[in-house]
Amino acid sequence: MDFYDKDLVSIRDLDRDHIEALLDLSEEMIPYAKGEKVDRMLDGKVLGNLFFEPSTRTKLSFESAAYRLGCDVIDVSEMSMTSISKGETLADTIRMVDAYCDAIVLRHPHEGAARLAAKFSINPVINAGDGAGSHPTQTLLDLFTMRKAKGSLDGLNVVLVGDLKYGRTVHSLADALTMFGAKLTLVAPETLQMPDDIYAGLKDKGCNIRKESDLNNVIDQADVLYVTRIQKERFPDPAEYQKVAGSYRIDNVILREAKSDMIVMHPLPRVNEIAYEVDSTPHAMYFEQAFNGVPVRMAILRAIMKEDD
Ligand code: CP
């Protein structure tokens, strides 16, 4: 796989073979992620977890992944608790943290922050979400979840619904699914559709992609329904958020039209996009998806922090 000591800033840092190898390694990690087996293969290593935006799943699953492999973790959860609050730049902060650990995981509100961090860090930087940019480790766990549920990633019919403008997970995911020949349908209010540059880039790579405003027109064809939260915190004007809040809601009525084996995914947190009644249907895959963050991030840490024997 040869991913030792490499940054993971964008899903484009990986090709299809890299992704398949990481997903295979993630599968092997499941008993270790569940604590059924123990292997301290990263004993003596230190991970720096910098989360300058709120996170439950990404931060804690990286920590769990590290501890399960014997790797220690140093972490910061708020910018206000670092010397950035005294005026230190992100570049200097990264230089310092780099000196204290063997790899850095960074979540940051600004698009491009992880790329900048990778420039200033000698050790590898893993992008844990940069503003409305991308979220490549989420994409890997999304692909892992799809492959597990559907048997293969090739040629899946995936409907992406919700906030496709600010939702960073769908930007990385659409890129990755294009490598596997997926058919993508983008369902969003006009103002929250996929940014034109990303859409054009996907088309250029030969992606079979189209936009649609009414979920009812496409739900019966979906193998995967990938739902996202409308990212309230990224709207410059709260009035604009109010115009689109609650645009889509998945419930058992709309799911009547879905294939029996169609899976509903969501990177979480959800607000109102998926009714609680969906949780007990066979379609609901989002909690298993969130658990998959542990084995997938174990595989990522193993690949980046340990040289192959
Ligand atoms: N999916 C995801 O990134 O969740 P968190 O914001 O809780 O990390």
Side-chain angles (χ1 to χ4, degrees), residues 123-138:
N123 285 307
V125 169
I126 301 169
N127 182 3
D130 60 330
S134 69
H135 197 349
T137 69
Q138 176 72 42

Side-chain angles (χ1 to χ4, degrees), residues 8 11 14 18-19 22-23 26 135-145 173 296 300:
L8 179 51
I11 199 69
L14 305 172
H18 281 133
I19 290 175
L22 277 169
L23 301 190
S26 304
H135 197 349
T137 69
Q138 176 72 42
T139 293
L140 288 168
L141 77 90
D142 292 343
L143 296 175
F144 183 70
T145 304
L173 183 60
V296 170
I300 293 166

Side-chain angles (χ1 to χ4, degrees), residues 29-277:
M29 290 293 180
I30 286 181
Y32 301 93
K34 291 181 173 170
E36 294 163 0
K37 287 185 179 178
V38 176
D39 187 332
R40 298 177 62 81
M41 62 181 81
L42 296 183
D43 194 18
K45 301 278 187 187
V46 177
L47 182 70
N49 238 7
L50 300 184
F51 276 74
F52 295 147
E53 258 195 348
S55 169
T56 298
R57 280 146 290 273
T58 313
K59 182 172 186 295
L60 296 181
S61 62
F62 260 116
E63 283 178 9
S64 176
Y67 287 128
R68 294 273 193 210
L69 295 174
C71 178
D72 289 319
V73 180
I74 54 173
D75 76 297
V76 173
S77 295
E78 283 186 41
M79 227 182 271
S80 63
M81 297 301 285
T82 72
S83 289
I84 290 176
S85 65
K86 303 175 204 164
E88 188 166 48
T89 60
L90 177 64
D92 278 0
T93 303
I94 291 296
R95 281 187 175 108
M96 294 302 96
V97 178
D98 185 33
Y100 305 147
C101 64
D102 302 297
I104 295 174
V105 175
L106 176 68
R107 170 165 290 189
H108 196 282
H110 296 152
E111 196 169 335
R115 184 66 70 196
L116 182 134
K119 250 177 77 178
F120 288 93
S121 177
I122 295 165
N123 285 307
V125 169
I126 301 169
N127 182 3
D130 60 330
S134 69
H135 197 349
T137 69
Q138 176 72 42
T139 293
L140 288 168
L141 77 90
D142 292 343
L143 296 175
F144 183 70
T145 304
M146 287 180 201
R147 193 177 80 163
K148 248 180 126 41
K150 311 305 291 183
S152 162
L153 291 170
D154 285 297
L156 286 177
N157 191 331
V158 180
V159 175
L160 304 174
V161 59
D163 183 350
L164 309 183
K165 178 181 181 183
Y166 296 116
R168 57 193 169 203
T169 65
V170 286
H171 299 163
S172 313
L173 183 60
D175 245 340
L177 284 170
T178 300
M179 295 184 212
F180 291 90
K183 180 178 174 198
L184 300 183
T185 306
L186 311 177
V187 182
E190 189 67 33
T191 53
L192 294 181
Q193 259 297 355
M194 189 73 83
D196 288 342
D197 58 330
I198 299 178
Y199 187 82
L202 293 167
K203 277 257 183 215
D204 283 350
K205 286 186 202 135
C207 183
N208 180 348
I209 188 168
R210 68 179 169 127
K211 296 178 185 175
E212 171 66 54
S213 57
D214 189 348
L215 182 57
N216 289 294
N217 291 342
V218 292
I219 194 162
D220 59 330
Q221 297 143 36
D223 299 310
V224 178
L225 181 65
Y226 191 96
V227 188
T228 63
R229 176 178 67 90
I230 296 187
Q231 309 270 304
K232 184 179 182 184
E233 66 277 21
R234 306 210 193 281
F235 280 68
D237 178 358
E240 290 302 310
Y241 170 74
Q242 287 308 331
K243 284 186 199 164
V244 287
S247 299
Y248 295 98
R249 182 170 164 83
I250 309 305
D251 59 18
N252 285 350
V253 174
I254 195 160
L255 288 177
R256 274 190 215 141
E257 303 303 318
K259 292 182 197 172
S260 59
D261 63 349
M262 189 271 283
I263 57 169
V264 178
M265 295 177 63
H266 191 309
L268 304 178
R270 69 173 151 182
V271 183
N272 292 311
E273 312 81 48
I274 302 179
Y276 291 115
E277 66 187 14

Side-chain angles (χ1 to χ4, degrees), residues 8-25:
L8 179 51
V9 171
S10 159
I11 199 69
R12 294 180 198 175
D13 293 334
L14 305 172
D15 61 21
R16 189 187 154 121
D17 289 344
H18 281 133
I19 290 175
E20 303 248 39
L22 277 169
L23 301 190
D24 290 346
L25 185 56

